[in-house]
Amino acid sequence: MSGTIDELLMIPGPTDISGEVLKEMSSKTVAHYGEDWTEYYNETRSLIKNILHTDNDLFLFVGSGHAAIDASLGSLLEEGDEVLVLSNGIFGNKLARISRLHKAEVTVLEKEWGKAFNPGRVDNFLKESQKDFKAMLMVDVETSTGIRNPVRELAEVAQKHDLISFVDGVCSIGVEEFYMDEWNIDFCVTASQKGLGAPPGLAIVCLNDRIWQAIDDRNSEIRGWYLNLKIMKEFEEKQKGWQPYGITMAVHNVMALKKALELIEKEGLKNRIKRHRESAEFFRKSIRELGLEVLAEEKHACSAVTAVKNPEGFDSSFIIDRLQENNIRIGNGLGEFAGDYIRVGHMNQGAARVSLYPVISVLEEILEKRKKSKNGIV
Amino acid sequence: MSGTIDELLMIPGPTDISGEVLKEMSSKTVAHYGEDWTEYYNETRSLIKNILHTDNDLFLFVGSGHAAIDASLGSLLEEGDEVLVLSNGIFGNKLARISRLHKAEVTVLEKEWGKAFNPGRVDNFLKESQKDFKAMLMVDVETSTGIRNPVRELAEVAQKHDLISFVDGVCSIGVEEFYMDEWNIDFCVTASQKGLGAPPGLAIVCLNDRIWQAIDDRNSEIRGWYLNLKIMKEFEEKQKGWQPYGITMAVHNVMALKKALELIEKEGLKNRIKRHRESAEFFRKSIRELGLEVLAEEKHACSAVTAVKNPEGFDSSFIIDRLQENNIRIGNGLGEFAGDYIRVGHMNQGAARVSLYPVISVLEEILEKRKKSKNGIV
């Protein structure tokens, strides 16, 4: 926002995105309804469905990822519903908190931060549990630690126990493989500004018929209007072909998202996922070569973000400040890891050596300076 | 979105906005937190408060105007609360529907569409009513009809009867005078894309201490997380100076809004309001000179949008299509007026003769063609 040198934005979202996408943001305003617009809007939704590998219903909300989570959980859950939340980070805890605010009875299965859930153990927990859970809620990529939970296998466990599976895919969709239908994931959410490579502003909710059935089976009405999936469906059906929602859509954000999705299609989803995986692997390898520790266990490390333990004697703000002096912006650890870890996002433009080298180089400089200073050279 | 000639967007929001504002939308992405950003964000909020003439707390939600209404009513109302809704159009009815979805007991005082509420009659109604209302909800400018309710006097009536006053200012703030504190309005909402002259995507909620007290006095917890004002306040206090909210803010939309607000300040709020009033008056006068009828009674006609009765024998789609052939986009009537009325927005770039002349000229052509055709000339 100021200064002569543009900042390299390597936080875990929003991230630097393509100039082509940004250009769409300054398009002339168009009406948020009409046949042409609806076709354009539906094409946008189809492109997202391609990434999710699904034929399910998909809605865009003007909102952040939290809006998508709140719309989903508020539409699904009612007073007294038992839900199981798998939590190994801030965003797992968030699922629990939001469920409670919708009056559900929440059981949290906790796992050490930085470690992924073991589907066999979750299966065992469910076998022994006396509770009649309605749904199992989990985070795909936990932005606070940089691990990816095995959502495919966890959704299988949920299915085996006849639970609805809900996946928070805010930080994973677009950079990790995700086969919603094949993996029997009933409900998933994401947002525009992470793996999809668009500016923040749009939240995405995708759900199958099992969820519609569960919503129809509710004993009480869904609270509120804006984040109410039943009302979304009502407009979708009533105003199909003209304005498949009841609000003023953030048209510029949709145009930018569509461009971002077209760029994903152009790159090829598989190529994009590979680029992100390889960039993340390269980053973790480089970090370890510097003698630093990555929080995530390697086999569950994700492609979107890496949490790095600060070198002894340095707190996060010191490292963040040194990077910022070099026009690089990274994130602090979250929750219990604030101060002791830094987090580097490597999505979109960030998933490339041209963006990763500067981060690694500054970290190297910090460590070398310390070494020299310890040796009494500086 | 296609074609060689840019469409003149004269729907009742979003509207054509300044190129300077659009340019901000394609700014490089920045972090949604940090000291610099928070200062910038708070400046944005201050500029809105200047327009509302208030010192109250003000929150931005990533969302449409409906998000602001839902956040407000869901935070204020709980099961069993009695509320009085003044309704003389679609958006008045919407306040009733949303209140009911938050389990309030709703009494709707109806008024003929196109007419404004009479504060004396509302006062009488309240004197005679046996109900213990908690709040009175009203729409400032009713987008469906183009009237402005006398919110100042209505808020006085609410105050006299010790009711909380809530004003839906989505279509008025930025183009109509609004003195929240002086007029004792407790709660008001607006959005980025109407009178404030920015792209859609941000919803605005402003509330005074009386509302915080009412929220504290609730017997039940507010449902949900995203549209929960108590949680907004929690983050505001906990993360003051760094990230006064718990979500990923739509940073581009905030930058565009800030620019739009700076342009309002540069033009001068009084000048802007005068420009809108004079443009609206000019438009209504021109419409009447064509022999057409304006829905709103003149003394309560607003400055944002005009609903015009279609000339006999023409339905809205005919007129809308003729305008569209000339690259001008206007809106259909809403609700019971769909088909029989057209609606023309004249906010922002639209509040100028350069934008109004084309609309008037095409309408004139339609009428002349009919005249000629009736005279057997064509």
Side-chain angles (χ1 to χ4, degrees), chain B residues 29-231:
Chain B
T29 309
V30 299
H32 57 293
Y33 50 72
E35 281 172 23
D36 284 1
W37 169 257
T38 301
E39 198 186 320
Y40 182 95
Y41 179 79
N42 287 337
E43 281 165 19
T44 310
R45 296 201 285 183
S46 289
L47 288 167
I48 308 170
K49 289 190 199 179
N50 292 346
I51 292 172
L52 297 174
H53 297 99
T54 188
D55 292 321
N56 289 331
D57 288 341
L58 187 143
F59 299 97
L60 294 189
F61 288 84
V62 181
S64 79
H66 277 100
I69 295 171
D70 210 324
S72 303
L73 300 185
S75 298
L76 175 67
L77 303 177
E78 61 185 329
E79 198 152 355
D81 278 344
E82 297 273 1
V83 290
L84 177 65
V85 175
L86 308 186
S87 176
N88 45 359
I90 287 277
F91 291 92
N93 289 344
K94 196 60 83 58
L95 294 181
R97 183 169 188 202
I98 295 177
S99 299
R100 283 193 198 100
L101 285 166
H102 289 293
K103 299 289 164 199
E105 301 292 328
V106 179
T107 300
V108 181
L109 199 55
E110 280 189 273
K111 178 89 191 176
E112 193 186 338
W113 286 28
K115 299 257 189 308
F117 273 92
N118 178 314
R121 292 202 186 153
V122 175
D123 186 24
N124 284 338
F125 174 86
L126 285 168
K127 270 182 201 150
E128 285 161 26
S129 168
Q130 306 294 318
K131 290 188 177 164
D132 185 21
F133 292 115
K134 179 174 184 170
M136 183 164 106
L137 319 182
M138 60 193 125
V139 175
D140 189 354
V141 163
E142 178 54 75
T143 318
S144 59
T145 63
I147 66 104
R148 182 172 205 212
N149 283 309
V151 288
R152 178 186 194 160
E153 293 78 10
L154 290 166
E156 258 171 39
V157 171
Q159 210 199 10
K160 185 176 155 190
H161 292 272
D162 200 28
L163 308 188
I164 284 166
S165 55
F166 170 89
V167 173
D168 167 354
V170 171
C171 198
S172 60
I173 306 301
V175 303
E176 308 276 5
E177 278 196 337
F178 197 87
Y179 289 83
M180 185 175 186
D181 295 357
E182 195 186 317
W183 295 356
N184 290 301
I185 291 166
D186 298 305
F187 215 166
C188 81
V189 300
T190 192
S192 51
Q193 82 282 359
K194 300 234 182 192
L196 298 180
L202 296 172
I204 297 155
V205 173
C206 192
L207 64 162
N208 65 16
D209 285 342
R210 186 174 180 194
I211 305 301
W212 287 126
Q213 190 59 53
I215 290 174
D216 277 346
D217 289 347
R218 284 175 63 113
N219 295 312
S220 64
E221 248 188 322
I222 297 169
R223 289 290 177 105
W225 188 95
Y226 189 74
L227 299 177
N228 185 327
L229 286 170
K230 219 170 156 179
I231 285 172

Side-chain angles (χ1 to χ4, degrees), chain B residues 217-252:
Chain B
D217 289 347
R218 284 175 63 113
N219 295 312
S220 64
E221 248 188 322
I222 297 169
R223 289 290 177 105
W225 188 95
Y226 189 74
L227 299 177
N228 185 327
L229 286 170
K230 219 170 156 179
I231 285 172
M232 281 299 262
K233 196 183 188 186
E234 201 181 291
F235 279 102
E236 175 92 36
E237 284 166 3
K238 214 169 56 182
Q239 302 184 164
K240 203 181 171 73
W242 183 257
Q243 187 196 354
Y245 40 75
I247 62 159
T248 302
M249 185 49 67
V251 288
H252 300 85

Side-chain angles (χ1 to χ4, degrees), chain A residues 173-211:
Chain A
I173 306 301
V175 304
E176 308 276 5
E177 277 197 338
F178 198 88
Y179 290 83
M180 185 176 187
D181 294 357
E182 196 186 316
W183 295 356
N184 289 302
I185 290 166
D186 299 305
F187 216 165
C188 82
V189 300
T190 191
S192 52
Q193 82 282 1
K194 301 235 181 190
L196 298 180
L202 295 172
I204 296 156
V205 173
C206 192
L207 64 162
N208 66 16
D209 286 342
R210 187 175 180 195
I211 304 302

Side-chain angles (χ1 to χ4, degrees), chain A residues 56-266:
Chain A
N56 290 331
D57 288 341
L58 187 143
F59 299 97
L60 295 189
F61 288 84
V62 181
S64 80
H66 275 100
I69 296 171
D70 210 324
S72 302
L73 301 185
S75 299
L76 176 67
L77 303 177
E78 60 184 331
E79 198 152 354
D81 278 344
E82 295 274 2
V83 290
L84 178 65
V85 175
L86 309 185
S87 177
N88 46 358
I90 286 276
F91 292 92
N93 289 345
K94 196 60 81 64
L95 294 181
R97 182 167 190 204
I98 294 177
S99 299
R100 282 194 199 99
L101 285 166
H102 288 293
K103 299 286 164 202
E105 301 292 328
V106 178
T107 300
V108 181
L109 200 55
E110 281 188 274
K111 179 90 190 175
E112 193 185 339
W113 285 29
K115 299 258 189 309
F117 273 93
N118 179 314
R121 292 202 187 154
V122 175
D123 186 24
N124 285 338
F125 174 85
L126 285 167
K127 272 181 202 153
E128 285 161 25
S129 168
Q130 305 296 317
K131 290 188 177 164
D132 185 21
F133 293 115
K134 177 175 185 171
M136 184 165 107
L137 319 182
M138 59 193 124
V139 176
D140 189 354
V141 163
E142 179 54 74
T143 319
S144 59
T145 65
I147 65 104
R148 183 174 203 209
N149 283 309
V151 288
R152 178 185 193 161
E153 294 77 11
L154 290 167
E156 259 170 41
V157 172
Q159 210 197 11
K160 186 177 153 190
H161 292 272
D162 201 28
L163 309 188
I164 285 165
S165 54
F166 170 90
V167 174
D168 168 354
V170 171
C171 198
S172 59
I173 306 301
V175 304
E176 308 276 5
E177 277 197 338
F178 198 88
Y179 290 83
M180 185 176 187
D181 294 357
E182 196 186 316
W183 295 356
N184 289 302
I185 290 166
D186 299 305
F187 216 165
C188 82
V189 300
T190 191
S192 52
Q193 82 282 1
K194 301 235 181 190
L196 298 180
L202 295 172
I204 296 156
V205 173
C206 192
L207 64 162
N208 66 16
D209 286 342
R210 187 175 180 195
I211 304 302
W212 288 126
Q213 190 60 53
I215 289 174
D216 277 345
D217 290 347
R218 285 175 63 114
N219 295 311
S220 63
E221 247 188 320
I222 297 169
R223 290 289 175 104
W225 188 95
Y226 189 74
L227 299 176
N228 185 326
L229 286 170
K230 220 171 156 178
I231 285 172
M232 281 301 259
K233 197 183 187 185
E234 201 181 291
F235 278 103
E236 175 92 38
E237 287 165 1
K238 214 170 56 184
Q239 301 183 165
K240 203 182 172 74
W242 183 257
Q243 188 195 354
Y245 39 76
I247 61 158
T248 301
M249 185 49 67
V251 289
H252 300 84
N253 300 263
V254 173
M255 288 188 259
L257 176 58
K258 183 154 189 274
K259 175 58 77 178
L261 296 165
E262 285 165 358
L263 291 181
I264 293 178
E265 202 173 55
K266 197 172 155 198

